[in-house]
Amino acid sequence: MFEAVIGLEVHLALRTRTKLFCGCAVSFGDEPNVHTCPVCLGLPGALPLLNGRALELALAFATALGASVPPATRFHRKHYFYPDAPKNYQISQDDVPVGSGGALVLPSGRRIGIVRCHLEEDAGRLVHPAYADHSLVDLNRAGAPLIELVTEPDLRSGEEARDFLVEVRALAQALGVSDAAPEQGKMRADVNVSIRRPGEPLGTKVEVKNLNSFRSVAAAIEHETKRQRQLLEAGRAVRQETRGWNEGGQRTYLLRTKETSADYRYMRDPDVPSVPLPAARREAVAAALPEVPAAKLARYLALGVREEDARQLAYDVQAASFFDATLEVYGGAAQAVANWLVSEVPGRLNAAGLGLEQAALEPAALARLLTLVDDGTISVTAAKELLPELLTGADPDALVRERGLAQVSDPGALTTLVDEVLSAHPELVERVRANPKAINALLGEVMRASRGSAKPDLVRRLLEERLG
Ligand code: ADP
Ligand code: ZN
Ligand code: MG
């Protein structure tokens, strides 16, 4: 029996305003070639200047991974010719990256080691117009800042690789390091796959390049594992090579037999001085680190939130900050807030095609709504009916007043209502006389007649009194 051995190389587009070594804007979806300058076009004599914000973000990310950050970091030129890389080299990091070592722990509890993470430039984009005999190049992205993260070969399946990517995405978003949106090319992964019998040394690996969805990562790994198993079972060897992913055919195909690191002719970039990272700076980064998703999860569990809900909130940076802000003003159970933020609120928002950040709902308004339910002023049903207005910024107290939704807890008014329902439904009264458990049917009728505003326990008491 074979097991799969997988290592990932993940690229994250950093959330900076400008590129890694020039002042050109980092943008997605603009007209081609509007964000370029002599530096990112690689014109002779142009000098790169490191983007301090990009360095800051990379340091935060490395620190959150538990990587060790060196006392000084430096940059290398990695040479290759691609039509979308005008300098014919990429400024990257070789021997002293911003982060070495570290790990991420998966929900399964498995610890995935990180080899390194480093800063580097993105390439431009080739555009292949349909039916044309040429390709076009768009250099807006050339020189945009990336973090590359390299894992140890610790992953064992496509599913596990996907779990790892979910973890990386949540971490990058929580730190504000990257939007980590694969569908916008802001998170891309290369996968390295080999197979072996458990306990044997590592087999020959194949690299599959440039997968831009978590689903394709999982599918490429499954396909590649199977392809290699069939080779070995047929008595043949796996060749070390770089393959591409055919999304339509759901299979990998040969791109090139693998280049070695020597082919890149790494050399120190003489134009980029090394960057000192004194202990004080490294400590300041660690001290300023926001709470990471795993820590949030632990905190929510300790508040008594159900694991599934806690995970959903902790791994969604927007939902988590809304949840925290609501708890700051809400005196009730954390699970009550979680219920609303995990199901009611997203349910309504999805129907409108909106995200939480686009809604005008304030944490204080949600807290107030839940308090109105807790103190019996309104029913849960009424609260749910108010949600659409709350999402547009309405005030819960004003809504309750305008709609007359406050639960009727005045026995006089309710008694009249109960009597009306009893005389309108003699057949139900008969049923309850025969079987007291049928009282819920009458209770339902009274609640309907009150349009949800009656206090159910009071109605039940009145009904029981009336029916003896
Ligand atoms: P290369 O020099 O070919 O780029 P690296 O040693 O830098 O190889 O590793 C690149 C990635 O491949 C890392 O994520 C690493 O964990 C993974 N890897 C290395 N050897 C194997 C292997 N035998 N099987 C699967 N993945 C591997
Ligand atoms: Zn530029
Ligand atoms: Mg490599």
Side-chain angles (χ1 to χ4, degrees):
M1 258 301 91
F2 292 103
E3 72 172 0
V5 174
I6 300 139
L8 297 182
E9 295 164 83
V10 184
H11 289 93
L12 292 167
L14 289 185
R15 201 188 276 167
T16 57
R17 271 195 320 105
T18 57
K19 294 185 181 180
L20 189 51
F21 292 106
C22 64
C24 290
V26 170
S27 77
F28 289 82
D30 282 348
E31 255 188 75
N33 299 309
V34 294
H35 302 297
T36 59
C37 75
V39 173
C40 56
L41 289 177
L43 301 187
L47 286 173
L49 183 66
L50 179 64
N51 180 332
R53 179 73 187 147
L55 178 65
E56 203 67 43
L57 294 177
L59 289 172
F61 194 65
T63 306
L65 288 172
S68 81
V69 175
T73 190
R74 54 195 200 180
F75 291 85
H76 283 69
R77 294 181 176 183
K78 181 181 184 182
H79 297 85
Y80 48 81
F81 173 80
Y82 281 143
D84 56 2
K87 292 198 294 282
N88 289 338
Y89 62 82
Q90 171 195 36
I91 306 181
S92 181
Q93 299 196 281
D94 186 26
D95 53 0
V96 196
V98 284
S100 302
L104 267 182
V105 178
L106 301 183
S108 62
R110 294 241 305 132
R111 182 182 178 282
I112 307 304
I114 307 292
V115 179
R116 56 186 274 135
C117 59
H118 67 252
L119 271 169
E120 64 183 28
E121 297 177 294
D122 207 342
R125 225 163 44 88
L126 287 181
V127 182
H128 311 287
Y131 309 114
D133 62 354
H134 59 269
S135 293
L136 299 169
V137 66
D138 173 9
L139 296 177
N140 280 347
R141 208 178 63 184
L146 298 176
I147 280 185
E148 178 175 341
L149 161 83
V150 182
T151 77
E152 298 284 357
D154 286 348
L155 297 156
R156 290 292 175 270
S157 70
E159 212 35 61
E160 194 164 65
R162 187 210 295 249
D163 288 349
F164 177 81
L165 293 173
V166 167
E167 207 65 35
V168 170
R169 177 175 60 189
L171 181 64
Q173 290 175 344
L175 298 178
V177 159
S178 170
D179 295 337
E183 66 283 1
Q184 294 170 8
K186 294 180 184 177
M187 180 170 186
R188 314 191 285 272
D190 303 339
V191 308
N192 298 270
V193 186
S194 65
I195 63 170
R196 67 172 176 191
R197 292 192 174 77
E200 282 182 351
L202 293 179
T204 304
K205 76 174 156 70
V206 165
E207 179 170 3
V208 186
K209 279 276 193 222
N210 274 324
L211 296 157
N212 46 22
S213 79
F214 294 0
R215 195 157 35 81
S216 348
V217 165
I221 289 169
E222 295 313 324
H223 174 270
E224 192 51 34
T225 306
K226 189 166 149 217
R227 191 186 69 85
Q228 294 182 17
R229 187 166 30 105
Q230 286 168 348
L231 280 173
L232 295 190
E233 282 170 356
R236 297 166 59 194
V238 173
R239 246 189 332 172
Q240 176 160 338
E241 59 196 22
T242 302
R243 299 178 70 87
W245 174 242
N246 177 327
E247 184 68 45
Q250 294 285 299
R251 57 193 147 73
T252 63
Y253 60 92
L254 180 65
L255 280 176
R256 55 183 178 268
T257 48
K258 176 82 185 166
E259 70 279 3
T260 65
S261 150
D263 296 336
Y264 293 129
R265 286 290 181 262
Y266 276 103
M267 57 176 266
R268 279 291 305 280
D269 190 315
D271 293 337
V272 186
S274 78
V275 185
L277 300 169
R281 168 114 195 240
R282 286 176 275 147
E283 284 155 17
V285 170
L289 217 55
E291 190 179 33
V292 301
K296 279 205 178 85
L297 174 60
R299 185 160 58 80
Y300 295 168
L301 291 174
L303 289 174
V305 179
R306 271 196 306 270
E307 165 140 22
E308 201 185 317
D309 298 344
R311 185 172 295 283
Q312 197 161 326
L313 293 170
Y315 280 73
D316 175 338
V317 61
Q318 242 100 29
S321 75
F322 201 102
F323 181 64
D324 287 336
T326 308
L327 287 182
E328 250 169 55
V329 283
Y330 177 60
Q335 181 64 50
V337 182
N339 288 342
W340 282 73
L341 286 181
V342 167
S343 64
E344 288 307 319
V345 173
R348 287 282 174 182
L349 288 174
N350 291 347
L354 296 175
L356 193 51
E357 66 284 6
Q358 285 136 337
L361 177 66
E362 292 293 331
L366 180 60
R368 181 62 191 146
L369 185 73
L370 297 190
T371 306
L372 288 169
V373 173
D374 291 345
D375 68 16
T377 308
I378 59 173
S379 65
V380 175
T381 317
K384 288 182 182 171
E385 279 169 19
L386 295 185
L387 186 57
E389 264 100 335
L390 286 196
L391 292 174
T392 64
D395 169 54
D397 288 295
L399 281 178
V400 168
R401 242 179 291 117
E402 282 162 26
R403 305 273 187 95
L405 279 173
Q407 297 195 92
V408 181
S409 50
D410 160 19
L414 266 186
T415 308
T416 316
L417 202 59
V418 165
D419 286 341
E420 280 168 18
V421 168
L422 288 180
S423 55
H425 296 281
E427 75 294 349
L428 288 180
V429 174
E430 280 312 305
R431 261 174 53 200
V432 178
R433 291 240 152 85
N435 171 15
K437 283 196 186 128
I439 200 164
N440 287 334
L442 276 173
L443 179 64
E445 289 299 334
V446 177
M447 292 307 294
R448 227 186 320 280
S450 77
R451 302 210 322 281
S453 70
K455 265 185 118 82
D457 46 349
L458 185 55
V459 174
R460 182 182 293 277
R461 217 184 64 223
L462 290 171
L463 282 170
E464 282 165 358
E465 276 171 23
R466 278 289 193 269
L467 298 171

